[in-house]
Amino acid sequence: MDEERWLLPTGIEEILPPQAQIMESLRRDLLDLYRRWGYELVAPPFIDFLESLLTGTGQDLDLQTFKLTDQLSGRLLGVRADMTPQVARIDAHHLRRDAPTRLCYLGTVLHTRADGFAGTRSPFQIGAEVYGHAGIESDLEILRLIFETLRMAGITGCYLDLGHVGIFRGLARQGGLDPSQEHALFAALQRKAIPEIEARVAAFGLPPRLAAMLVALADLNGDDALTRAATVLEGAEAPVLAAVEYLRRLADALNQWLPEVSVHYDLAELRGYRYKTGVVFAAFVPGWGQEIARGGRYDDIGRVFGRARPAVGFSTDLKGLLRLGTGLGTRYREAPAIYAPWSADPALLEQVERLRRDGHRVITALPGGDAHLDQDPRPLGCDRRLVAGAAGWQLEVI
């Protein structure tokens, strides 16, 4: 029984030295990166009223959210499973700016089950969002920032998976599908279960040309998906064609701004379909099998807070970046410390304070500890010690 006290819940991790320090150093560097790009840091609460957490993105997050009752108000609270609804509230209700607003955030989120995003139930989520601008330029800025984030984490060779929820949504509306039919077809498309898609489309009694487009959607993926879409979706209504054209323009911009990034198109990819309104994207690392960053456009998310502004953003898991990043241990390697004896000598205390102000780590001896550390403090990570000499306290190499 005592051994079970050491166990952690499935999908919950501890970060130990030196990885915790490496992650903290990366966190600081990423926040500095976002600040240089004009993103302001916000810090939403870890626990919030449930209806606020499930706003906009709500239906997708409901099953992922831990719920509890507030003993003060009697209302349901939730432990945040995503920070985007809270950031949308900050933009819409608190800031209420007319100009485009760039916000970034970080903190732990909690999931009832691992969703495949870095394989954890407690991601340390970090992300950035642009509010108040609709267009390829803000989409492109977020995509550029994703790859800057991955580069800073030492992750290279990534590729981008790109889609647009407006294509499927437009075809569903063109066919007059009711919500239950749309949901069933959406689920089949995510599995790319073509026989099931064919059966459902046939049961809906759709016109043959529209039915063929919906079935073909599952195969519209790959490097040439946009080219094939021009023929396959030729009979679609204007909103569908506009979504395809938007992707084509974004692809041209990506080729100009990020020519080194390999882009894979999947027109049936519908991550966050219930709240996304436009382009959706995810970054993958070869050999990893799970997305390392994801995002998209969600223009209506602030509506319930009184202000529906265009919005696009991304998020990633800092623990996932730490796991996949190469060279982080070397880049953030802790410098050796200095060992100081326990003493109230003002000259020693002044020297220790000066060294710490200059950025050095100084570890002070604790009386009653292991006596051998006074002789050899290298197990504490020290390579020098402060010793008293004729000229005062001086550094001595161990």
Side-chain angles (χ1 to χ4, degrees), residues 14-70:
E14 292 173 323
I15 308 296
L16 306 178
Q19 284 76 19
Q21 184 59 52
I22 294 172
M23 189 171 78
E24 171 61 15
S25 298
L26 178 60
R27 178 194 72 86
R28 295 176 188 178
D29 283 351
L30 289 176
L31 289 182
D32 285 344
L33 169 69
Y34 302 160
R35 180 183 57 82
R36 291 194 297 270
W37 281 54
Y39 289 78
E40 301 172 274
L41 180 64
V42 295
F46 185 57
I47 296 178
D48 210 331
F49 287 121
L50 188 62
E51 57 266 31
S52 295
L53 293 175
L54 301 187
T55 292
T57 63
Q59 298 305 311
D60 279 10
L61 289 178
D62 190 16
L63 293 177
Q64 283 283 44
T65 302
F66 281 96
K67 305 173 181 70
L68 62 156
T69 301
D70 183 8

Side-chain angles (χ1 to χ4, degrees), residues 46-380:
F46 185 57
I47 296 178
D48 210 331
F49 287 121
L50 188 62
E51 57 266 31
S52 295
L53 293 175
L54 301 187
T55 292
T57 63
Q59 298 305 311
D60 279 10
L61 289 178
D62 190 16
L63 293 177
Q64 283 283 44
T65 302
F66 281 96
K67 305 173 181 70
L68 62 156
T69 301
D70 183 8
Q71 298 301 310
L72 295 181
S73 67
R75 294 172 60 183
L76 275 177
L77 303 178
V79 179
R80 65 188 182 200
D82 182 37
M83 296 171 74
T84 294
Q86 297 175 300
V87 178
R89 176 180 60 195
I90 290 172
D91 172 74
H93 182 69
H94 296 295
L95 299 181
R96 302 191 63 81
R97 297 170 180 168
D98 293 325
T101 300
R102 294 172 169 88
L103 300 176
C104 63
Y105 57 86
L106 82 161
T108 297
V109 298
L110 190 63
H111 296 165
T112 58
R113 64 192 72 184
D115 67 350
F117 188 44
T120 180
R121 288 202 297 163
S122 58
F124 197 81
Q125 190 179 55
I126 184 167
E129 301 177 356
V130 179
Y131 292 88
H133 182 272
I136 282 176
E137 296 81 6
S138 49
D139 292 344
L140 182 62
E141 177 169 306
I142 287 294
L143 288 168
R144 292 172 61 204
L145 199 55
I146 287 177
F147 285 93
E148 279 295 302
T149 297
L150 298 177
R151 181 193 60 78
M152 183 164 283
I155 301 174
T156 58
C158 302
Y159 66 91
L160 184 68
D161 201 3
L162 195 62
H164 196 301
V165 301
I167 297 172
F168 172 70
R169 185 169 287 144
L171 290 174
R173 290 175 180 172
Q174 184 174 338
L177 301 186
D178 62 38
S180 64
Q181 291 173 324
E182 185 175 341
H183 177 74
L185 190 53
F186 159 81
L189 273 171
Q190 296 316 284
R191 298 191 302 273
K192 297 206 180 333
I194 293 180
E196 181 183 348
I197 296 170
E198 292 174 337
R200 290 192 178 280
V201 167
F204 296 158
L206 300 176
R209 193 172 186 183
L210 177 58
M213 286 189 285
L214 282 167
V215 172
L217 200 57
D219 284 327
L220 283 178
N221 57 78
D223 297 342
D224 63 342
L226 293 183
T227 301
R228 290 185 286 122
T231 301
V232 173
L233 302 177
E234 185 178 8
E237 293 181 350
V240 176
L241 299 179
V244 175
E245 177 59 23
Y246 190 96
L247 273 184
R248 185 174 289 108
R249 290 168 52 212
L250 181 57
D252 291 340
L254 282 169
N255 186 55
Q256 178 183 358
W257 289 86
L258 296 171
E260 74 281 3
V261 174
S262 176
V263 181
H264 176 90
Y265 303 95
D266 189 345
L267 305 195
E269 175 50 61
L270 303 171
R271 292 180 186 86
Y273 175 71
R274 295 177 182 84
Y275 72 95
K276 294 283 177 60
T277 59
V279 64
V280 292
F281 42 78
F284 290 85
V285 179
W288 175 237
Q290 297 171 339
E291 58 202 36
I292 188 59
R294 63 185 173 197
R297 181 162 287 280
Y298 31 86
D299 290 344
D300 291 330
I301 194 170
R303 185 178 303 279
V304 297
F305 299 120
R307 206 156 182 245
R309 296 222 292 168
V312 61
F314 86 96
S315 65
T316 184
D317 174 29
L318 202 60
K319 291 190 288 188
L321 297 181
L322 179 66
R323 185 181 303 120
L324 295 177
T326 58
L328 293 178
T330 300
R331 191 198 314 171
Y332 297 122
R333 180 177 293 137
E334 191 77 82
I338 298 166
Y339 191 73
W342 177 269
S343 172
D345 181 351
L348 173 63
L349 298 180
E350 181 181 351
Q351 177 76 322
V352 168
E353 180 62 25
R354 182 186 64 78
L355 288 168
R356 286 173 174 164
R357 281 199 307 267
D358 290 344
H360 297 281
R361 286 194 306 141
V362 181
I363 299 175
T364 300
L366 294 175
D370 290 341
H372 75 275
L373 291 176
D374 290 331
Q375 303 299 321
D376 184 7
R378 284 178 295 182
L380 297 177

